[in-house]
């Protein structure tokens, strides 16, 4: 990307440069599921893309009857997966709102996830959807040996997913989120789990960035010098480790890993490593995610501020 101009505006849609997914989202909004069937069917063995596509499609379908209609008209593993994802999202939304029907929705979601898992046993995605619901049912399995705080959590379900896909990105993020404050977790547990998960991941994996996710998630603007946390040597080292070991691999992804790049760029920028942050921001192109920029305010304003600090062009007002 040339530094003289920025072509257009930020693209916030989670499909990013997965143009097939973007078109399928338009079809979902129009009440059509054929393109969803096609793009989920072609990635039955690419679990990362399948998880992402099914989640984005479900976010578009959750307020309609499309998932139910597809499952009724053409039942199959892809229809079952979308229905499981939709049921998952509806349950999470109800739980966040304190809806008295949350328990009923949780039962529906569990049944939908189990049905999807039976239809395609090698796919970890239905189990990942179950994992997303773990904080609603407050699963409390004993922690494995090696964690200082030994926090109880959905360890058995997480282990089941890892047997299918050891480095499943969404599963790691969902599992870590179980220990966030907003889900009833404690500070000691989430830092312990983030360190445990990050250290066991390969050096070239974006899962090494999980501690930076916690850092952003638990940011308290009212805390004295809170924004300087990213300058501490351990977090600068974590960000630089991701930059050196994972970032060179990111260009090999089929689609731009926008969210992981965003966490990395943000941490480098906050850690005053503008040169490295600039490279990551360039790799993102126009694609953007609201996290972690929204932690500090309006995400577009914060991303623009970071780009300016790194000597990059910004969208015209």
């Amino acid at each position: 990307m040339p530094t003289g101009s920025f072509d257009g505006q930020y693209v916030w849609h989670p499909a990013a440069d997965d143009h097939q997914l973007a078109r399928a989202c338009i079809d979902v909004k129009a009440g059509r599921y054929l393109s969803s069937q096609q793009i989920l069917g072609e990635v039955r063995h690419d679990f990362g893309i399948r998880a992402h596509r099914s989640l984005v499609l479900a976010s578009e379908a959750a307020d309609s009857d499309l998932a139910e209609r597809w499952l009724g008209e053409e039942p199959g593993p892809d229809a079952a997966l979308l229905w499981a994802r939709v049921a998952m999202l509806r349950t999470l939304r109800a739980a966040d709102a304190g809806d008295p029907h949350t328990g009923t929705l949780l039962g529906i979601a569990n049944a939908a996830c189990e049905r999807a898992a039976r239809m395609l046993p090698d796919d970890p995605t239905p189990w990942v959807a179950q994992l997303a619901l773990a904080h609603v049912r407050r699963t409390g399995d004993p922690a494995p040996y090696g964690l200082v705080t030994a926090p109880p959590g959905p360890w058995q379900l997480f282990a089941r997913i890892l047997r299918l896909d050891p480095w499943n990105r969404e599963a790691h993020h969902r599992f870590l989120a179980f220990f966030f404050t907003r889900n009833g977790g404690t500070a000691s547990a989430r830092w312990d789990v983030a360190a445990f998960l990050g250290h066991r991941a390969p050096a070239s994996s974006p899962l090494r960035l999980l501690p930076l996710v916690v850092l952003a998630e638990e940011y308290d603007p009212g805390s004295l010098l809170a924004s300087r946390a990213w300058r501490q040597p351990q977090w600068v080292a974590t960000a630089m480790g991701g930059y050196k070991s994972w970032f060179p691999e990111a260009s090999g992804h089929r689609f731009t890993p926008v969210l992981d790049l965003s966490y990395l760029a943000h941490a480098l920028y906050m850690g005053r490593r503008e040169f490295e942050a600039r490279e990551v921001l360039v790799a993102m192109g126009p694609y953007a995610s609201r996290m972690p920029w929204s932690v500090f305010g309006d995400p577009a304003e914060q991303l623009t501020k970071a780009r300016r600090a790194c000597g990059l062009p910004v969208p015209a007002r």
Side-chain angles (χ1 to χ4, degrees):
M1 181 184 300
T3 57
S5 63
F6 190 93
D7 185 16
Q9 302 295 316
Y10 298 129
V11 177
W12 297 99
H13 196 285
D17 53 352
D18 185 346
H19 303 303
Q20 287 180 296
L21 176 57
R23 287 191 291 269
C25 286
I26 295 172
D27 285 346
V28 167
K29 284 293 188 183
R32 299 186 294 265
Y33 58 76
L34 180 59
S35 55
S36 296
Q37 187 177 42
Q38 292 171 338
I39 69 166
L40 289 178
E42 74 173 27
V43 292
R44 286 184 181 176
H45 301 289
D46 190 327
F47 302 137
I49 296 177
R50 184 170 173 83
H52 180 67
R53 284 181 168 179
S54 62
L55 182 59
V56 174
L57 290 170
S59 69
E60 299 286 356
D63 295 324
S64 72
D65 68 345
L66 180 134
E68 292 93 331
R69 184 159 45 83
W70 179 10
L71 191 62
E73 294 174 358
E74 296 188 43
D78 305 317
L81 178 60
L82 186 67
W83 167 229
R85 289 295 224 173
V86 164
M88 175 202 83
L89 289 178
R90 289 173 181 167
T91 304
L92 293 175
R93 292 175 183 178
D96 289 342
D99 191 316
H101 301 295
T102 299
T104 301
L105 292 172
L106 179 60
I108 293 171
N110 285 336
C113 291
E114 290 170 3
R115 176 175 180 169
R118 287 194 302 270
M119 297 189 79
L120 204 62
D122 292 339
D123 183 9
T125 316
W127 300 109
V128 175
Q130 287 250 27
L131 187 60
L133 299 168
H135 77 272
V136 179
R137 66 174 77 90
R138 294 312 303 173
T139 307
D141 307 325
Y145 177 78
L147 281 87
V148 176
T149 60
W155 292 97
Q156 292 182 23
L157 180 54
F158 186 52
R160 181 171 194 165
I161 295 168
L162 299 190
R163 286 194 291 271
L164 294 171
D165 186 17
W167 309 116
N168 187 285
R169 183 197 178 281
E170 185 182 343
H172 281 75
H173 281 260
R174 295 286 189 187
F175 184 72
L176 179 60
F178 178 90
F179 302 96
F180 287 169
T181 299
R182 56 182 163 88
N183 292 328
T186 65
S188 58
R190 60 180 163 269
W191 286 114
D192 197 10
V193 171
F196 174 74
L197 297 180
H199 289 157
R200 67 180 290 277
S204 58
S205 170
L207 297 176
R208 286 292 184 112
L209 304 178
L210 286 172
L212 302 178
V213 175
V214 177
L215 196 61
E217 176 70 26
E218 302 302 325
Y219 170 72
D220 178 6
S223 178
L224 186 64
L225 305 179
S227 63
R228 296 189 182 181
W230 281 264
R231 301 180 203 167
Q232 294 180 14
Q234 68 189 98
W235 305 128
V236 173
T238 300
M240 287 301 296
Y243 170 77
K244 292 177 181 177
S245 299
W246 170 69
F247 178 59
E249 307 289 329
S251 61
H253 287 228
R254 182 175 171 186
F255 304 112
T256 304
V258 179
L259 188 56
D260 290 323
L261 289 172
S262 293
Y263 275 105
L264 179 57
H266 175 265
L268 290 167
Y269 160 67
M270 293 295 293
R272 295 186 170 178
R273 302 304 297 256
E274 288 88 354
F275 175 83
E276 292 84 0
R278 175 191 172 97
E279 287 193 56
V280 180
L281 289 166
V282 168
M284 290 170 59
Y287 304 108
S289 65
R290 286 172 173 77
M291 281 294 287
W293 311 103
S294 59
V295 166
F296 289 87
D298 178 84
E301 292 178 1
Q302 296 301 317
L303 178 54
T304 294
K305 181 179 177 181
R307 288 183 62 88
R308 282 203 183 102
C310 295
L312 289 172
V314 299
R317 291 186 179 274

